[in-house]
Amino acid sequence: MLVTLAAPVAPIAAHQLLVFLLQVGLLLLLALTFGRLAGRLGMPAVVGELFVGVVLGPSFLAHVAPGLSTWLFPQDSAQFHLLDAVGQIGVLLLVGITGIHMDMGMVRRRGATAAGVSIGGLLVPLAFGIGAGFLLPATLIPTGTEPLVFALFLGVAMCVSAIPVIAKTLMDMGLLHRNIGQLTLTAGMIDDAFGWFMLSIVSAMATTGLRAGSVLVSLACLLAVVVFALTLGRPLVRHSFRLTSRDEDSGSSVATAAVLILLASAATHAMGLEAVFGAFVCGMLIGTAGGVEPSRLAPLRTVVLSGFAPIFFATAGLRMDLTSLADPMVLLAGLAILVVAIVGKFLGAYAGARASRLNRWEALALGAGLNARGVIEVVVAMVGLRLGILSVEVYTIVVLVAIVTSLMAPPILRWAMARVEQTTEEELRRNEQLAWSNQPQTNGADPL
């Protein structure tokens, strides 16, 4: 009996490959250029990198040079998904590296403080967002969408924080070793875990209806990840790196770290949780499990921060069309939601920090860091648009909030942190992080 084998999958078409290579090369070139320009203006590189997508996307290039825009960024899902794939690898590795730099000892000691900040940073903007959802004109709500579902979805969009943007900002500004930087990342991860959990609930309400079983499954998956990390995860990571430590070349350690981070991301994604959650947890395990020399992972950090991450942030703006804000009603609604988003997150995080006995400058810095919503809010907005919960106008407004809050975080962070004295513990943590990046320990500014 003859077995007929399926024909092999055809390789990528020549024109599709050409466009993809030009896209990646141009995005990386402009991301590095704009990032360097942002640095000269006293802003983190991520600010310039985020701006690249706005320039090359429908907000600018499509209007200035529509022919070039259509050829370089065709409205073809397969072509776009190639860029998405590169960007996703970049953001997952970036979040994993951020997890490596987490000081779990400090997190355990000040876990109650991070929880207090997170609760404040969640509940207040969530309530503000729900209230704004009920007050928006009915013309901005898609036909057939229940006002409650729309309001809940807007509340979820207002309460999330963007761990990738926060992490890159803290690295660019040399604040990752500071206690405030560690608390911001911890509180931000709690916010994001809650935000993705709420997103799954609201999405279910908009499609199949909310069922108690789906909520319990999501909670069980979240608990399972935590239990696995605390029991089997650490020895598994330690053993993996002990096997690679025998090689003189650091390449095997870099590959092992990348494999673990990507597989952990795939696991949480398969469980219905966000992929970045798995990457962050895996990064923390790598940083605390032992068995790996920090300097052996320095090449991974260089490639991710200089290559993959800039492409991801540059890609984020390619779906944004800010020209719809020319409509006065949309613009006014956008400004109102922007104010609600900023005030809600600052007020909530500030109140939580002050209740946890942090001083006003530390509280202000936490509010500024958690206020950055970046591409996480863009992803949430895209889910709402796909499900029909958000209209194109409200989608644009949410994207505007994501951009503005990400751009305003760095200057406020710098201003507030200049008034927070660095401790001996932070200096020790800085030297440990320098070991991970294979850079000399100096008394100057932290390059992370």
Side-chain angles (χ1 to χ4, degrees), residues 315-335:
T315 305
L318 292 178
R319 289 186 175 91
M320 305 175 184
D321 187 359
L322 303 181
T323 58
S324 61
L325 296 174
D327 186 329
M329 184 179 70
V330 177
L331 180 60
L332 288 175
L335 292 176

Side-chain angles (χ1 to χ4, degrees), residues 210-224:
L210 184 63
R211 295 190 297 269
S214 61
V215 177
L216 293 177
V217 168
S218 297
L219 283 173
C221 290
L222 189 64
L223 181 62

Side-chain angles (χ1 to χ4, degrees), residues 10-225:
I12 185 173
H15 178 72
Q16 191 178 25
L17 177 60
L18 172 63
V19 172
F20 171 69
L21 294 176
L22 289 174
Q23 288 174 339
V24 173
L26 183 60
L27 286 170
L28 182 56
L29 172 63
L30 291 182
L32 296 177
T33 302
F34 285 16
R36 186 168 297 229
L37 179 60
R40 294 196 175 188
L41 296 176
M43 296 181 291
V46 67
V47 173
E49 293 163 2
L50 283 170
F51 189 65
V52 172
V54 177
V55 173
L56 294 181
S59 300
F60 182 76
L61 184 63
H63 297 276
V64 175
L68 175 61
S69 176
T70 302
W71 187 88
L72 186 59
F73 297 101
Q75 295 302 308
D76 177 34
S77 58
Q79 186 77 61
F80 232 114
H81 289 167
L82 291 174
L83 274 181
D84 287 339
V86 175
Q88 284 301 311
I89 291 176
V91 73
L92 293 175
L93 293 177
L94 172 64
V95 172
I97 291 173
T98 304
I100 291 175
H101 291 313
M102 289 295 294
D103 183 351
M104 296 310 298
M106 192 280 296
V107 171
R108 284 189 290 269
R109 292 193 304 272
R110 306 190 67 177
T113 300
V117 174
S118 178
I119 291 173
L122 276 172
L123 297 183
V124 176
L126 178 65
F128 277 31
I130 293 174
F134 282 115
L135 295 176
L136 280 180
T139 55
L140 294 179
I141 303 176
T143 304
T145 300
E146 295 184 12
L148 175 60
V149 174
F150 175 81
L152 285 174
F153 195 91
L154 193 60
V156 171
M158 295 300 101
C159 74
V160 297
S161 298
I163 283 294
V165 174
I166 294 172
K168 187 65 162 56
T169 300
L170 292 172
M171 288 182 181
D172 289 343
M173 299 180 66
L175 297 176
L176 193 56
H177 70 288
R178 302 294 300 271
N179 289 338
I180 293 301
Q182 301 280 306
L183 287 173
T184 301
L185 287 172
T186 305
M189 183 51 67
I190 296 173
D191 283 5
D192 277 1
F194 176 82
W196 292 116
F197 176 68
M198 284 294 298
L199 180 62
S200 65
I201 293 177
V202 178
S203 298
M205 293 175 63
T207 53
T208 60
L210 184 63
R211 295 190 297 269
S214 61
V215 177
L216 293 177
V217 168
S218 297
L219 283 173
C221 290
L222 189 64
L223 181 62
V225 172

Side-chain angles (χ1 to χ4, degrees), residues 395-408:
Y395 167 80
T396 302
I397 291 172
V398 175
V399 169
L400 175 68
V401 172
I403 295 175
V404 173
T405 54
S406 298
L407 296 182
M408 67 182 294

